[in-house]
Amino acid sequence: MSVITGTTRLLGVMGDPISHSLSPVMHNAALAEMGLDVVYVPLPVRGKDLAVALEGLRAIALIGFSLTIPHKQAILPLLSQVDPLAAAVGAVNTVWWTPQGWQGTNTDVFGFLAALKVLNQDWNTTPALVLGNGGAARAVVVGCAQLGCPSIHVVGRDAEKRAQFQASWSAVEIQTRLRVHDWESLGQLLPHAGLVVNTTPVGMKPKGNDSPLTTELIALLPERAIAYDLIYVPQPTRFLAEASARGLQTFDGLEMLVQQGAEALRRWTQQEVPVGTMRAALQRHLGLG
Ligand code: NAP
């Protein structure tokens, strides 16, 4: 970590709970390499304290912060400006101070798409299937729409939340492509999926033996399907291990985590950021590869 002096300025990550956050590890590694007199700290803030926390952070001239559960949607009405991408997602994960007030964007879409950029894929003929309809699924749906996927099927387990999810989109390009289904529909959906994304926590450490899809369901995926799991530990998840055993192309969530963080740091510093350093710091911290 950088030496903290009387001139050191602050970035941070706000959430409740926040002690599990990996963001300080990757951001402080990058800030040290960039030689900036800035440190990135955890900001434990309860939901009911969000507005007063924003006032306090303005008073101490914090540069900006990341947001995690439970603040990503709750912060929207408290910001002076939300960019169109975050408005489309309906959630903000990156905030910075301007003379006009706090402004926000969502870098999860950038992070989700960054890993897929290595592929030479015709996305206009690639139907997407998203498992789960929580916060991360919203960024994935917007990402799939940006790719040009002709249909975006979302599977959720709770009828009320499914109806809310279907009704929550204002952008026409999403409304026309999006179909929300129950979990039992997977048998019909999987044989047509070109990209299947797990946005549920099923399979995450310490329940690394769980999978959102049974072996029988994974067998239904087409040979050229791409399997993407937003989970980053364990590597691979059982879902990705079984997809890989079938010969499918797979992506885990580590690159998304790194790239959403790198995009946020670009916003805050207006500089190029050492993405490799951020990735290596996370891998070291998580004991990966
Ligand atoms: P969230 O808002 O709580 O959403 C989780 C979704 O998974 C909900 O739709 C939930 O359904 C569903 N779900 C949970 N347990 C399930 C089960 N046993 N069977 C079927 N569905 C289940 O959480 P989130 O913020 O979207 O995060 C979800 C996952 O993505 C986490 O593992 C997180 O670590 C990962 N993530 C990764 C990145 C990255 O950068 N790689 C970024 C964001 C999130 P109900 O609402 O019905 O409970």
Side-chain angles (χ1 to χ4, degrees):
M1 194 195 284
S2 317
V3 176
I4 296 174
T5 69
T7 59
T8 303
R9 296 193 63 201
L10 288 176
L11 288 166
V13 55
M14 187 188 290
D16 180 28
I18 200 62
S19 57
H20 66 285
S21 176
L22 298 171
S23 295
V25 168
M26 66 172 165
H27 283 297
N28 284 316
L31 290 164
E33 180 157 328
M34 293 165 83
L36 297 176
D37 189 11
V38 179
V39 291
Y40 184 105
V41 295
L43 302 167
V45 173
R46 286 174 296 180
K48 69 178 182 58
D49 295 328
L50 186 55
V52 75
L54 285 186
E55 276 301 291
L57 296 176
R58 179 189 60 78
I60 62 166
L62 187 113
I63 300 168
F65 54 93
S66 316
L67 280 168
T68 185
I69 292 170
H71 304 311
K72 284 182 166 186
Q73 286 162 302
I75 199 158
L76 283 164
L78 301 174
L79 299 175
S80 67
Q81 198 179 318
V82 174
D83 77 1
L85 184 63
V89 176
V92 163
N93 77 336
T94 303
V95 176
W96 62 98
W97 177 255
T98 74
Q100 289 75 43
W102 292 112
Q103 298 193 4
T105 189
N106 189 307
T107 65
D108 281 336
V109 179
F110 178 91
F112 168 68
L113 293 176
L116 294 172
K117 292 232 164 86
V118 298
L119 294 176
N120 184 19
Q121 177 83 3
D122 181 5
W123 294 107
N124 294 313
T125 58
T126 305
L129 174 58
V130 182
L131 308 177
N133 55 349
R138 301 193 66 84
V140 170
V141 165
V142 172
C144 291
Q146 284 196 357
L147 285 172
C149 297
S151 55
I152 306 168
H153 298 276
V154 173
V155 176
R157 61 178 176 174
D158 181 276
E160 201 175 318
K161 289 180 184 172
R162 283 199 303 271
Q164 280 169 4
F165 192 87
Q166 177 83 60
S168 66
W169 301 92
S170 53
V172 174
E173 76 269 19
I174 292 178
Q175 281 177 357
T176 52
R177 290 163 211 233
L178 184 71
R179 300 283 177 275
V180 184
H181 310 262
D182 59 20
W183 211 259
E184 285 67 44
S185 308
L186 279 172
Q188 285 95 61
L189 296 168
L190 284 161
H192 307 288
L195 168 68
V196 55
V197 187
N198 177 34
T199 75
T200 79
V202 181
M204 191 162 71
K205 195 179 166 188
K207 293 191 171 175
N209 208 30
D210 291 353
S211 172
L213 296 180
T214 61
T215 309
E216 293 72 29
L217 284 173
I218 290 174
L220 297 177
L221 280 164
E223 267 173 30
R224 292 171 55 83
I226 300 156
Y228 196 145
D229 200 333
L230 298 200
I231 294 172
Y232 33 85
V233 188
Q235 280 195 8
T237 56
R238 182 167 176 179
F239 165 49
L240 291 191
E242 293 197 3
S244 187
R246 269 213 47 206
L248 308 186
Q249 180 122 31
T250 62
F251 293 89
D252 63 58
L254 190 73
E255 195 60 14
M256 174 173 171
L257 182 67
V258 171
Q259 296 284 353
Q260 63 77 28
E263 186 67 358
L265 196 54
R266 279 184 206 107
R267 289 269 180 162
W268 294 320
T269 64
Q270 298 293 308
Q271 293 185 23
E272 262 317 298
V273 303
V275 180
T277 299
M278 298 173 83
R279 188 184 297 115
L282 275 182
Q283 285 171 328
R284 215 171 25 252
H285 183 78
L286 293 169
L288 300 171

